[in-house]
Amino acid sequence: MIREQESLKGNDFEKAIVSVALTGALTTRDQCPGIPYTPEEIAEDAAKARDSGAAIAHIHARTENGSPTYATEVYQEIHDEVRDRTDVLLNFSTGAIDVPAEERIEYVETVEPDIAALNMGSMNYAKYSESSEEFVFDMVFENSFDEIREFVTAMEAAGVRPELECFDTGHVGNTRPLLEKGELSHPLQFSLIVGVLGGIPATIENLAHQVRQLPDDATWQVVGIGRDQWPLVAGALSMGGNVRVGLEDNFYLPNGEMATNPELVERAVDLARSVGREPATPDEAREIMGLD
């Protein structure tokens, strides 16, 4: 039974927390028409995803033309629009390339979402097209220990739970000195991101290896990138894990049809139920993760 699996860690054997990554920072409507841009569009999508079974909405703010923004007033508007419509837990991204940390810390401190994603290490971050034999993009995603500690301190002061985003096994290990210094505290919440070029490749074996490195009381979810997402979601749910879907990570349903965020959540919920687990409500997710 799931409750006897070591891979369950701090998750719930009956309830699966489904997160939805609504926007992303780089994806555009030219690639997928369903991506929301404005605070109102994001809030409407969050409410529909909640109705489909999502407990958490992970959000990158956008301008009206779809470009990324780190403006506190935009994140505040997103927060207020979502709260007018639904009780889904809010998870704000803090990741960016060549954007000063203080810009990304300010909206977390001011708006105080339930959760904020925190990248746990530096890496090459790229996408390669096998058909054209070209890199679509090729960047260095820098997240130094000094910057990570700055974010942890700010989140702790604001009462915001850090979600530890780990693209490889070394990123999981980067939590150790922060725990020893008392800057991070249990229970920890991990996003295990698999399938980004520069990070750990997308296999169930690699996911299981990542999970084995986690503290026993940690909650964890898989974030599968691209069409490899669905076997990883199915595997994670069978292992007792939580899952993230959404247009930030993958545009397509398992049958290859282009999707909306609520449709991706519906499919994840179907997979959860197929292994005997129900989607957690936001209140249940809050309890499972030990959120105040």
Side-chain angles (χ1 to χ4, degrees), residues 6 19 35 47 56 58 117 132 138 145 147 153 189 216 253 273 279 289-290:
E6 183 183 358
S19 296
I35 296 171
I56 300 171
H58 174 74
S132 64
D138 178 10
F145 275 113
E147 188 170 290
T153 300
Q189 178 183 342
D216 289 340
L253 295 167
R273 287 176 171 150
M289 294 186 293

Side-chain angles (χ1 to χ4, degrees), residues 4 49 104-105 116 118 143 166 194 215 233 275:
E4 297 171 348
R104 294 174 282 138
I105 289 172
L118 176 59
N143 298 282
C166 299
V194 291
V233 166
V275 295

Side-chain angles (χ1 to χ4, degrees), residues 2 10 20 65 100 102 107 135 140 163 168 176 179 191 202 222 244 261 268 282:
I2 288 178
V20 57
N65 68 9
E102 55 267 22
Y107 58 78
F135 282 92
V140 174
E163 178 185 82
D168 214 334
R176 181 177 52 79
L179 286 166
S191 276
V222 71
R244 189 179 97 178
N261 282 309

